[in-house]
Amino acid sequence: VAKIIGVLPADDRGLAEAVRRGGGKVGAPGAGLDGLVVAFGTTPDQVRAAVADHPGLSWVQLPLAGVDTYLDLMRERSGTVWTSTKGAYAGPVGEHALALTLALLRHLPERARAASWGKPAGTPLADLETLVIGAGGVALETVRLLKAFGARVTVVRRRAEPAEHADRTSTGEHLRERLAEAEVVVVAAALTTGTRHLIGERELAAMRPSAVLVNVARGPLVDTAALVAALRAGTIRAAALDVTDPEPLPDGHPLWSEPAALITPHTADTYEMITPLFHERIADNVARFAAGKELTAVVDLEAGY
Amino acid sequence: VAKIIGVLPADDRGLAEAVRRGGGKVGAPGAGLDGLVVAFGTTPDQVRAAVADHPGLSWVQLPLAGVDTYLDLMRERSGTVWTSTKGAYAGPVGEHALALTLALLRHLPERARAASWGKPAGTPLADLETLVIGAGGVALETVRLLKAFGARVTVVRRRAEPAEHADRTSTGEHLRERLAEAEVVVVAAALTTGTRHLIGERELAAMRPSAVLVNVARGPLVDTAALVAALRAGTIRAAALDVTDPEPLPDGHPLWSEPAALITPHTADTYEMITPLFHERIADNVARFAAGKELTAVVDLEAGY
C-alpha cells in the first residue's frame, strides 16, 4: 500500500508533485496521514497545529537545513521521525561562501562604492590559510571549492574525525588556536545552544588583523556587538554576513554603515535556487519512507540538528 | 660557460637573484650580454635603448603576459627571441575572474551599497551556461575554476582545437551564436589588431538581457562606449571590468556612476601577487637558455602574443 503523505499548506502543488514523483499518495488534510511534508514559509505554530490533528503521523519533512526554530516542537513529538533538508542546499550556499570570501579578499565592496581608480590591493586564495567551522554539507562543499582554488583548509568540528577534502581537522577546544592561524574564517556550523556566540569577543581577538570572517550559517553563531567592535577597532579586516542577529538587520544598524562589513540578506540559497533541490529531496525521502529505508537527514534531537 | 644576463633596471635585486637562481651570471650594463631580463614598470622606450646598446643580445624576457605595447620594438629586433610571462600569472587572474563573476551573479555590488535589508536575488553558477573567450593560461584557469562550480563552459578561440576542461570549443566565426547562449561571458583573450573591440555593439546586442560580462584581459577588447550604452539600455544585466579603455578610467567617466558596472583597477594580478611568479619564470627561463632548451612563452611576432 502506498504511504499517504500530507502537504502543508494543502494547496502547494510543487510539494504534491514531488510526493507523487516519489511514489507517495497525497492525502487531504484530516485524512489518516502517514507522513507530512512542510513548505517553505510555514511557521512552527502552523506545523504544531497540523501535527496535533494527525496523531498517526510517523514522519515530518521540514523545508530547512537549520531546524533550531522547530526544536521545542520536535522534542514534544519525539516519537515522530523529523527530517531536515541538511545537505540538500549545500551547493548554492557553498558557492555563496566563496563569492563572499573572494569579494573580501579582492576588496570588491570598496571597489563597488568607488568613483575613481583606486590603489592596488588584494590577496589570492591560492596557498592561503583558511578555516571552515563545521563539517556538514555546506561546510564540506565550501572546503571542496576552497581546495579548487589551492587554499590550505583546516576544518574545526565537534567530532575528532577527518573532514573530506580538508588538509587538517581540529575539534572545538582548539578553535582559538586555529583562528589565530587563518586569513579566512568561514562559519558553516549548525546553531545549537552550544554554538550560540561561537565567535565572540575572545575569538575575534584571537584572529589576525588581516583576516576576514564569513558567516553563511546562522546569525547568532556570531556575537554581533563584538563583531561591530572588532571591525571598528581593526581587530579583523572585514566580515561578510549572509545571516545576521537580529535578522533581518534593521535599518540604522551599525553594520549597515560599517565599511568593512558586507551584508547579503540571507540570499545564499534563495527560494528560486532551492525549490528544485527541496523537491528532489522530498521525492527521494518519500520513496525511502515507502520502502522502509532510512530517511535522509533525520534530525538528532539531542544534538539539535 | 654561464650565460651573461643583464637586468633592467640594473639595480633590481629581485631580478638579479632570480637570474642567479637559474644558474645565470648577472652582467653589468654595457657588458657583452647574452640575455636581458626586464622589470615591471620599465617602459618600451627604456627597453629599446637597452637593446640598442647590446647588439649581441639573443634573448629578452619581458615582465608582461600581454605584450601589445612592445610589438613594434619586437618586430624591429625580430632576430632576438622575446619571451613574455604568458601563463605565469594565470592563477591570480583566473581567481579574479571568478571573484568578479560570482560578485555579479550574487548581486554583491548592490549589496555593498545597500543600507537596508534587500530583496532576494542571485543565480548559482552550478549548471549555468558560461562562455570564456580565449584559450591562453588565464582562460584555461578560468575554465578550470568554472568547472569546479559545476558550470557548463564553452570556449571560443582562434584555432579549431578543443580547450582543456571545456565542455565545448568554438572558433571566432561563431562568437555571436555562442554569446546568445551564455549567462556569463568572460573575456580572457590576447589584445591584437584582430581582437580590438571584439565585444562591440553587435556582440552586446547578441547577448541575453540576463547575462553578465567580465573582462580580465585588456580594456580595448571591449568597446567602452557600446558597453555603457548596453548597460544603460539593459541590453545586458551587468559588467565587471578589471581592465578599461581608457585606462586608468578617468574620474567622471560614465562607468563610475553606472550601477550595473563593477570596476577593479587592474588588480587581478597586483605587483605583490605576481612578483614571486615572475621570479620563478625568470629562473626557469635562464636555466633553459643556458641549457639550449626551448624557452617558455616565446612571443609569436605574427600573432602578436
Side-chain angles (χ1 to χ4, degrees):
Chain A
V1 205
K3 294 284 188 179
I4 314 293
I5 312 289
V7 302
L8 182 68
D11 62 352
D12 190 313
R13 286 202 274 185
L15 257 52
E17 171 55 34
V19 166
R20 278 185 217 106
R21 198 142 37 89
K25 195 165 175 304
V26 178
L33 301 181
D34 301 306
L36 180 71
V37 167
V38 177
F40 300 121
T42 312
T43 66
D45 281 346
Q46 290 169 318
V47 177
R48 175 175 273 113
V51 165
D53 285 349
H54 296 96
L57 271 184
S58 60
W59 166 48
V60 179
Q61 170 71 55
L62 295 174
L64 307 159
V67 292
D68 42 289
T69 56
Y70 283 91
L71 213 54
D72 290 342
L73 171 58
M74 293 190 293
R75 283 175 179 156
E76 285 163 29
R77 276 290 288 252
S78 61
T80 298
V81 173
W82 296 82
T83 52
S84 72
T85 55
K86 197 160 61 185
Y89 312 153
V93 183
E95 263 194 34
H96 201 74
L98 264 288
L100 295 179
T101 299
L102 289 165
L104 294 184
L105 291 177
R106 296 291 179 154
H107 295 247
L108 299 189
E110 296 90 304
R111 303 307 185 194
R113 293 186 290 249
S116 68
W117 200 253
K119 291 208 163 54
T123 307
L125 202 39
D127 294 324
L128 204 66
E129 206 58 68
T130 69
L131 181 66
V132 175
I133 302 176
V138 168
L140 295 185
E141 176 63 3
T142 303
V143 172
R144 185 187 72 79
L145 290 170
L146 287 169
K147 288 308 298 175
F149 283 87
R152 289 192 293 270
V153 188
T154 299
V155 164
V156 168
R157 66 185 302 180
R158 216 165 37 114
R159 277 176 294 158
E161 197 178 294
E164 202 189 358
H165 302 300
D167 296 303
R168 189 169 58 147
T169 309
S170 265
T171 50
E173 69 264 34
H174 300 292
L175 176 59
R176 267 184 266 168
E177 292 157 64
R178 295 294 90 81
L179 285 168
E181 296 160 355
E183 291 293 334
V184 171
V185 176
V186 179
V187 180
L191 177 63
T192 65
T193 47
T195 60
R196 199 184 128 80
H197 289 194
L198 184 69
I199 302 295
E201 192 184 341
R202 288 182 306 181
E203 288 72 25
L204 290 160
M207 287 174 68
R208 298 179 176 190
S210 52
V212 300
L213 176 72
V214 172
N215 187 2
V216 290
R218 279 287 180 275
L221 289 160
V222 175
D223 178 342
T224 304
L227 177 63
V228 169
L231 291 173
R232 281 183 183 162
T235 310
I236 68 172
R237 186 171 70 73
L241 312 172
D242 187 54
V243 288
T244 59
D245 179 25
E247 187 175 312
L249 199 67
D251 285 3
H253 190 283
L255 282 176
W256 289 124
S257 51
E258 173 51 58
L262 172 63
I263 313 291
T264 55
H266 207 138
T267 49
D269 49 354
T270 64
Y271 183 81
E272 219 181 352
M273 294 178 202
I274 65 182
T275 297
L277 304 173
F278 181 36
H279 290 172
E280 217 170 285
R281 174 64 66 86
I282 292 169
D284 182 61
N285 260 349
V286 166
R288 286 167 176 271
F289 187 52
K293 285 189 191 164
E294 201 187 346
L295 299 178
T296 297
V298 172
V299 177
D300 175 342
L301 295 182
E302 202 164 324
Y305 59 89
Chain B
V1 207
K3 294 284 189 178
I4 314 292
I5 312 287
V7 302
L8 181 68
D11 62 354
D12 191 313
R13 285 200 276 181
L15 255 54
E17 170 55 33
V19 166
R20 279 186 217 104
R21 198 144 34 92
K25 196 165 176 302
V26 179
L33 301 181
D34 301 306
L36 179 71
V37 168
V38 177
F40 301 121
T42 312
T43 65
D45 279 346
Q46 290 170 317
V47 177
R48 175 175 273 111
V51 165
D53 285 349
H54 296 96
L57 270 185
S58 58
W59 166 49
V60 179
Q61 170 71 55
L62 295 174
L64 307 159
V67 292
D68 43 288
T69 54
Y70 284 90
L71 214 53
D72 289 344
L73 171 58
M74 292 190 294
R75 284 176 179 156
E76 287 163 29
R77 274 291 286 255
S78 61
T80 299
V81 174
W82 295 82
T83 53
S84 73
T85 55
K86 197 161 59 183
Y89 313 152
V93 182
E95 262 194 36
H96 201 74
L98 264 288
L100 295 179
T101 299
L102 289 166
L104 294 184
L105 290 178
R106 296 290 180 152
H107 295 247
L108 299 188
E110 296 91 303
R111 304 306 185 193
R113 294 185 290 249
S116 66
W117 201 253
K119 291 208 162 52
T123 307
L125 201 39
D127 295 324
L128 204 68
E129 206 58 68
T130 69
L131 181 66
V132 175
I133 302 176
V138 168
L140 294 185
E141 177 64 2
T142 303
V143 172
R144 186 187 72 77
L145 290 170
L146 287 169
K147 289 308 298 175
F149 283 87
R152 289 192 294 271
V153 187
T154 300
V155 163
V156 168
R157 66 184 303 179
R158 214 164 38 114
R159 278 178 293 158
E161 197 179 294
E164 203 189 356
H165 301 299
D167 296 303
R168 190 169 57 148
T169 310
S170 264
T171 50
E173 70 265 32
H174 300 292
L175 176 60
R176 268 185 266 166
E177 292 157 66
R178 295 294 90 82
L179 285 169
E181 295 159 354
E183 291 292 334
V184 171
V185 175
V186 179
V187 180
L191 177 63
T192 65
T193 47
T195 60
R196 198 184 128 80
H197 289 194
L198 185 68
I199 302 294
E201 190 184 342
R202 288 182 306 180
E203 289 71 24
L204 290 161
M207 286 175 68
R208 298 179 178 191
S210 52
V212 300
L213 176 72
V214 172
N215 187 3
V216 290
R218 278 287 181 276
L221 288 160
V222 175
D223 178 343
T224 304
L227 177 63
V228 169
L231 291 173
R232 282 185 181 160
T235 309
I236 66 171
R237 187 171 70 72
L241 312 173
D242 187 54
V243 288
T244 59
D245 178 25
E247 185 176 314
L249 198 66
D251 285 2
H253 191 282
L255 281 176
W256 287 123
S257 51
E258 172 52 58
L262 172 64
I263 313 291
T264 55
H266 208 138
T267 49
D269 48 354
T270 64
Y271 183 81
E272 219 181 350
M273 295 178 203
I274 64 181
T275 297
L277 304 173
F278 181 37
H279 290 172
E280 216 170 285
R281 174 64 66 88
I282 291 170
D284 182 61
N285 259 350
V286 166
R288 287 168 175 270
F289 187 53
K293 286 188 192 164
E294 199 187 347
L295 299 178
T296 298
V298 172
V299 178
D300 174 342
L301 294 182
E302 202 165 325
Y305 61 90

